[in-house]
């Protein structure tokens, strides 16, 4: 009886898993089909593996190759990772370990900004950055992250730092260390797991981000991968389906590789802090 | 503020300590207070410049006809005209509100149910269970991307593989994403498909439920169904609440998939014109920044209201085992 129950549980899991993973297997299989096969062969696996979709897709947009878009995306995502890690670590240290006038009030305000929808901020921010002459540069996408505006990561690191034993600070204080030395020699090294989680999610979210990049990067040469991918829809003929899927596969690849390498951190990070994926 | 009023009288009442030690301790405290603000400064600047000022600026803009194209001296204060127009004559506003609410009211409960269901299936210590857990989580990472939205279009259009699948059973499919009755449905499926995020949080919550409760319940002869409703659900209610708040806020802010699937139009016939798409459209296609700001402020007020409603009704059904307020 219990064995039967266990078996049915596994069967159900496998069935759900098949449904969940189907779109991903499908996009991979279809990207490897030739243009004629893509419409005729409805099976997931290609009869004959062709790579032409990738070469056609790479140069699909006249004048600019996907290499450029990937470079832009990597640049922005890389800068965001660095900016988030540094700024959120500094902020979290203040909230988690230092006593200062007004700390509770500021912390409450930080939590409120967590709930503030980006769509409310985008118009005034756009007007501001437009006045600065920053539109069509990566600056509007990076500078706010230097200022710890991703409150999720601050929150995550505060939660983590609260778990670091106070005795370590006290020992350092007795040795004559001030808050700066404690930060640099005690807290920052110990906060590494939280930093790694922040780095991974920063990368993936920035890589997948569409809204802000769509608004701030209007010219083709500054496009990132998601913005460029959208161009395949504008001319939605069946012939572009293969190249579109091929480029989609390539754009999913960095996130997928991150997932494979860091899945332990990802799943832990999500369950301890309630971060969104 | 609380900190200083609490510490000051205490310091005054304390017997005078040896002068050198006290000054050193005060110096240490002052140094720490100063350091606090030094470490906080990037965030404080960000709060003022990138959050607080824009929020207030947007409120101001919402009472103007600002259009970004003309210079600042051309800007007119129009009072509440934008708001009046939105609520009375805008032909798309109420449609968009309906689309957004339909999406939220159907997709969020489905997503939470799916995530709880799979979490219950996964809540067993067994070899290889981690692999399942990770695989179910993968769509949550990829799902918000443009690439997956494009894949969705390819799967759910008239000639897509979903219809080929249906034809295996002799069923006649629809051109799902091009049908005004079904387009929003495909968006919902995409959102439910990313159930991995709340699922992982549910799993963490299920691990916290003490096994003694189940043992006691089965000694009392409670069936598995009864155990679920009388042990699991109440014990899990804080996590359900947390996921509900998170998913609601997240659900209202969906943008990428609706934009990509409708090619930026919110079509067919406004059926996927979710609220954020309308804000984007007014602001960045029509360049009516003032009007778009008014739309954004209504959005902000609505989300604020929903959050308040959640937190004020939460105490009626959220059960904390320690009796405290989380």
């Amino acid at each position: 009886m219990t064995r039967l129950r266990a078996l049915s549980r596994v069967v159900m899991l496998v069935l759900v898993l098949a449904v969940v993973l189907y779109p991903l297997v499908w996009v991979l299989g279809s990207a490897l089909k030739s243009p004629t096969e893509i419409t005729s062969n409805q099976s997931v696996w290609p009869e004959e593996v062709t790579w032409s979709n990738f070469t056609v897709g790479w140069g699909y947009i006249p004048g600019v190759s996907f290499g450029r878009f990937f470079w832009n995306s990597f640049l922005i995502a890389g800068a965001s990772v660095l900016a988030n890690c540094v700024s959120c670590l500094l902020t979290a240290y203040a909230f988690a370990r230092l006593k200062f006038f007004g700390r509770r009030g500021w912390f409450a305000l930080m939590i409120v900004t967590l709930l503030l929808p980006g769509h409310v901020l985008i118009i005034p921010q756009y007007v501001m950055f437009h006045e600065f002459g920053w539109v069509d540069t990566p600056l509007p996408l990076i500078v706010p992250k230097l200022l710890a505006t991703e409150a999720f990561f601050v929150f995550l690191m505060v939660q983590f730092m609260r778990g670091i034993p106070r005795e370590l600070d006290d020992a350092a204080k007795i040795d004559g260390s001030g808050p700066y030395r404690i930060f640099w020699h005690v807290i920052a090294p110990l906060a590494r797991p939280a930093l790694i989680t922040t780095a991974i999610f920063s990368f993936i979210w920035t890589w997948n981000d569409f809204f802000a990049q769509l608004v701030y990067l209007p010219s083709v040469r500054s496009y990132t991968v998601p913005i460029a991918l959208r161009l395949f829809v504008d001319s939605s003929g069946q012939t572009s389906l293969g190249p579109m899927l091929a480029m989609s596969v390539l754009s999913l690849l960095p996130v997928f590789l991150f997932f494979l390498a860091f899945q332990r951190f990802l799943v832990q990070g999500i369950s301890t802090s309630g971060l969104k994926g | 503020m609380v900190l200083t009023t609490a510490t000051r009288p205490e310091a005054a009442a304390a017997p005078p300590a040896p002068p050198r030690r006290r000054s050193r301790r005060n110096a240490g405290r002052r140094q720490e207070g100063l350091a606090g603000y030094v470490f906080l400064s990037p965030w404080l600047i960000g709060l003022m410049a990138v959050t607080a000022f824009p929020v207030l600026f947007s409120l101001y803009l919402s009472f103007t006809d600002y259009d970004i194209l003309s210079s600042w001296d051309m800007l007119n204060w129009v009072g509440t005209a934008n708001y009046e127009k939105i609520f009375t004559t805008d032909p798309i506003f109420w449609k968009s509100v309906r689309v957004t609410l339909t999406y939220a009211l159907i997709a969020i409960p489905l997503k939470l149910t799916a995530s709880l269901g799979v979490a219950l299936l996964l809540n067993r210590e067994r070899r290889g269970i981690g692999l399942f857990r990770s695989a179910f989580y993968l769509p949550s990472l990829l799902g918000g991307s443009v690439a997956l939205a494009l894949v969705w279009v390819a799967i759910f259009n008239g000639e897509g593989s979903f219809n080929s699948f249906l034809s295996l059973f002799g069923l006649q499919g629809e051109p799902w994403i091009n049908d005004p009755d079904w387009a929003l449905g495909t968006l919902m499926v995409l959102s439910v498909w990313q159930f991995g995020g709340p699922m992982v949080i549910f799993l963490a919550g299920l691990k916290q439920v003490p096994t003694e409760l189940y043992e006691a319940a089965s000694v009392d002869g409670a069936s598995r169904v009864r155990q679920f409703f009388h042990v699991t659900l109440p014990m899990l209610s804080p996590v359900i609440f947390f996921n509900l708040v998170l998913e609601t806020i997240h659900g209202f802010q969906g943008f990428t998939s609706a934009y990509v699937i409708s090619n930026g139009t919110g079509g067919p016939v406004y059926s996927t014109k979710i609220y954020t798409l309308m804000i984007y459209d007014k602001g960045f296609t029509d360049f009516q920044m003032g009007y778009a700001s008014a739309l954004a402020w209504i959005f902000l007020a609505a989300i604020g209201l929903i959050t308040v409603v959640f937190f004020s009704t939460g105490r009626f059904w959220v059960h904390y085992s320690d009796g405290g307020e989380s």
Side-chain angles (χ1 to χ4, degrees):
Chain A
M1 184 60 193
T2 45
R3 217 180 193 179
L4 196 69
R5 192 174 270 149
L7 190 69
S8 67
R9 187 185 278 263
V10 172
V11 169
M12 254 162 77
L13 275 177
V14 172
L15 279 178
V16 179
L17 191 65
V19 173
V20 165
L21 292 186
Y22 176 79
L24 300 176
V25 180
W26 180 84
V27 61
L28 191 62
S30 304
L32 294 169
K33 289 174 185 169
S34 69
T36 46
E37 200 191 331
I38 222 164
T39 43
S40 62
N41 176 15
Q42 292 296 345
S43 134
V44 167
W45 303 115
E47 278 161 18
E48 201 182 332
V49 173
T50 44
W51 296 97
S52 65
N53 288 330
F54 287 88
T55 50
V56 172
W58 192 261
Y60 185 80
I61 289 139
V64 194
S65 87
F66 256 79
R68 172 88 201 180
F69 306 138
F70 273 93
W71 171 248
N72 289 341
S73 267
F74 271 114
L75 218 62
I76 289 171
S80 299
V81 168
L82 272 178
N84 272 337
C85 281
V86 172
S87 66
C88 297
L89 188 70
L90 294 174
T91 309
Y93 176 64
F95 279 135
R97 307 300 271 205
L98 299 176
K99 285 198 178 72
F100 54 90
F101 178 78
R103 183 181 63 162
R104 279 159 185 259
W106 291 126
F107 189 72
L109 215 55
M110 199 269 296
I111 297 296
V112 170
T113 66
L114 260 178
L115 301 173
L116 200 65
H119 305 86
V120 175
L121 293 171
I122 195 96
I123 291 158
Q125 282 179 352
Y126 181 84
V127 174
M128 237 170 76
F129 293 139
H130 177 81
E131 291 289 313
F132 295 172
W134 286 6
V135 172
D136 213 24
T137 74
L139 289 175
L141 301 165
I142 297 167
V143 172
K145 288 170 183 166
L146 273 169
L147 301 173
T149 46
E150 297 253 12
F152 257 128
F153 297 130
V154 177
F155 182 66
L156 172 99
M157 289 198 210
V158 167
Q159 292 294 87
F160 184 84
M161 283 183 196
R162 280 179 176 160
I164 298 174
R166 283 269 171 199
E167 288 79 15
L168 291 173
D169 301 34
D170 295 338
K173 263 181 209 162
I174 288 164
D175 289 346
S177 299
Y180 304 97
R181 281 177 71 99
I182 295 176
F183 170 74
W184 191 246
H185 292 288
V186 180
I187 302 295
L190 286 173
R192 230 172 77 184
L195 273 173
I196 293 172
T197 309
T198 300
I200 297 164
F201 277 104
S202 283
F203 183 88
I204 292 174
W205 289 350
T206 315
W207 186 266
N208 279 344
D209 179 36
F210 176 66
F211 188 54
Q213 295 171 12
L214 177 72
V215 167
Y216 288 120
L217 303 174
S219 68
V220 180
R221 282 197 67 76
S222 57
Y223 275 5
T224 52
V225 177
I227 313 301
L229 274 179
R230 178 193 53 121
L231 294 180
F232 282 102
V233 181
D234 293 344
S235 57
S236 58
Q238 279 295 323
T239 44
S240 65
L241 184 61
M244 178 191 97
L245 294 176
M247 289 305 105
S248 295
V249 169
L250 285 188
S251 84
L252 294 174
L253 211 57
V255 180
F256 186 69
L257 292 178
F258 260 77
F259 171 77
L260 282 188
F262 300 112
Q263 44 162 313
R264 199 164 48 91
F265 286 106
L266 287 171
V267 173
Q268 266 172 8
I270 261 287
S271 57
T272 51
S273 61
L275 279 169
K276 279 297 302 167
Chain B
M1 224 153 31
V2 182
L3 278 172
T4 43
T5 47
T7 48
R8 231 179 240 152
E10 193 184 293
R20 247 172 90 202
R21 242 186 86 199
R22 198 177 72 172
S23 69
R24 201 205 241 159
R25 208 175 65 193
N26 279 350
R29 196 172 286 162
R30 221 176 310 133
Q31 196 197 1
E32 190 173 315
L34 184 67
Y37 276 93
V38 170
F39 279 103
L40 209 60
S41 53
W43 176 80
L44 274 172
I45 296 168
L47 179 76
M48 302 301 171
V50 195
T51 311
F53 169 70
V55 167
L56 297 175
F57 186 38
S58 138
L59 184 62
Y60 167 73
L61 284 180
S62 77
F63 295 105
T64 69
D65 64 355
Y66 184 59
D67 66 356
I68 211 158
L69 303 170
S70 36
S71 71
W72 284 102
D73 2 306
M74 301 283 288
L75 175 127
N76 290 313
W77 178 267
V78 296
T80 56
N82 286 331
Y83 291 94
E84 279 164 31
K85 195 178 157 204
I86 289 169
F87 284 114
T88 54
T89 57
D90 189 320
I92 303 162
F93 172 74
W94 290 110
K95 268 184 198 143
S96 174
V97 168
R98 243 181 70 183
V99 169
T100 312
L101 287 179
T102 312
Y103 176 79
L105 286 174
I106 299 177
I108 294 165
L110 280 179
K111 187 174 181 178
L112 289 179
T113 313
S115 56
L116 180 56
V118 175
L120 287 169
L121 283 176
L122 282 175
N123 190 31
R124 283 293 141 90
E125 284 310 322
R126 186 178 289 124
R127 251 186 317 130
I129 209 87
L131 205 69
F132 275 105
R133 201 175 56 169
S134 295
F136 284 124
Y137 182 61
L138 183 59
S140 296
L141 281 180
L142 304 174
S145 63
V146 169
L148 246 303
L150 289 172
V151 169
W152 229 249
V153 175
I155 290 179
F156 285 100
N157 68 23
E159 295 89 45
S161 67
F162 184 65
N163 280 346
S164 332
F165 172 75
L166 287 182
S167 66
L168 290 179
F169 304 95
L171 292 169
Q172 175 70 45
E174 302 274 339
W176 308 100
I177 55 154
N178 297 316
D179 185 328
D181 293 335
W182 289 104
L184 191 63
T186 56
L187 277 180
M188 292 181 195
V189 175
L190 177 52
S191 147
V192 174
W193 182 63
Q194 307 166 53
F195 63 77
M199 178 202 75
V200 173
I201 299 170
F202 274 135
L203 266 173
L206 284 171
K207 290 220 163 58
Q208 304 294 317
V209 182
T211 43
E212 299 92 68
L213 288 179
Y214 292 109
E215 281 157 18
S218 50
V219 167
D220 291 345
S223 68
R224 280 181 170 263
V225 177
R226 269 186 77 89
Q227 284 181 28
F228 173 75
F229 282 105
H230 290 93
V231 178
T232 312
L233 274 189
M235 291 303 284
L236 214 55
S237 57
V239 185
I240 297 174
F241 181 71
F242 181 77
N243 270 337
L244 183 67
V245 173
L246 218 64
E247 289 303 320
T248 305
I249 290 167
H250 199 69
F252 275 102
Q253 297 184 34
F255 176 81
T256 308
S257 51
Y259 183 96
V260 173
I261 284 178
S262 69
N263 200 5
T265 62
V269 217
Y270 304 116
S271 60
T272 59
K273 191 102 182 179
I274 56 170
Y275 201 87
T276 52
L277 204 52
M278 189 173 60
I279 296 179
Y280 172 83
D281 225 27
K282 282 287 169 211
F284 298 101
T285 312
D286 302 346
F287 294 111
Q288 299 179 26
M289 297 284 184
Y291 195 78
S293 298
L295 285 173
W297 260 83
I298 294 168
F299 188 57
L300 184 64
I303 289 201
L305 187 72
I306 291 167
T307 315
V308 168
V309 167
F310 272 155
F311 278 95
S312 54
T313 57
R315 62 200 168 96
F316 295 114
W317 61 274
V318 178
H319 163 90
Y320 293 103
S321 47
D322 57 358
E325 298 173 5
S326 123

